[in-house]
Amino acid sequence: MKRALAEWIGDDSAGGVVVVSGAEAATAVAELVGPALPAYRARVSQRERDGGLPFGSVDAALDATGRTTAEMSAAIATALGLRADGGRGLIHALEALGPPVTVVVNSVDAAADPAELCERVLWPIAVRSPLLRVRLLLGFGGEPWSRFADALVTGP
């Protein structure tokens, strides 16, 4: 699974949504994405850095645990250096930013209101992701939100 995700994220022509779920999903996503982020790289050994994505290949990586929909929308915008007010504003800002963009949201189902986060922020991005060439990787510890079932990736 990690290899397929790395190839997908590395393909600048691809946009779309990939969902991973299960007890080990959050860990797998963190291990894959962490090495692409400066704060993570500064805390771990070279061996751990070599196990994930290349530095800079992820534009925004966020953990949704306990966060509200408004907090997540603002956090995605901030991580991408955008000014956006809510889900719709974020879509318009992503359109203006231009492709390719990779956004990772882990522990989606641990957000303060997972259904609201999916409905108001993640689903609107997902629907437009192929056109915008936004790669949206979502990690769920349990079952993913029903609309994301077609994007579910399984395997080691």
Side-chain angles (χ1 to χ4, degrees), residues 38-63:
Y40 178 89
R41 291 176 67 83
R43 295 190 321 258
V44 299
S45 70
Q46 180 66 42
R47 191 176 84 137
E48 290 172 292
R49 283 182 267 184
D50 291 342
L53 294 170
F55 181 71
S57 58
V58 173
D59 300 293
L62 304 148
D63 188 307

Side-chain angles (χ1 to χ4, degrees), residues 11-134:
D11 181 359
D12 285 347
S13 67
V17 181
V18 171
V19 174
V20 295
S21 71
E24 298 175 8
T27 301
V29 169
E31 288 174 355
L32 178 69
V33 173
L37 307 171
Y40 178 89
R41 291 176 67 83
R43 295 190 321 258
V44 299
S45 70
Q46 180 66 42
R47 191 176 84 137
E48 290 172 292
R49 283 182 267 184
D50 291 342
L53 294 170
F55 181 71
S57 58
V58 173
D59 300 293
L62 304 148
D63 188 307
T65 302
R67 295 171 101 173
T68 67
T69 299
E71 289 170 336
M72 285 303 297
S73 181
I76 293 169
T78 299
L80 295 172
L82 303 172
R83 297 185 76 111
D85 183 27
R88 286 186 215 175
L90 187 54
I91 293 296
H92 295 301
L94 283 168
E95 289 171 345
L97 183 63
V101 175
T102 301
V103 176
V104 178
V105 180
N106 211 359
S107 303
V108 174
D109 51 340
D113 187 340
E116 181 184 52
L117 174 60
C118 289
E119 184 71 38
R120 294 193 178 185
V121 177
L122 301 176
W123 184 248
I125 295 171
V127 169
R128 293 165 183 82
S129 63
L131 178 63
L132 296 172
R133 285 192 6 217
V134 171

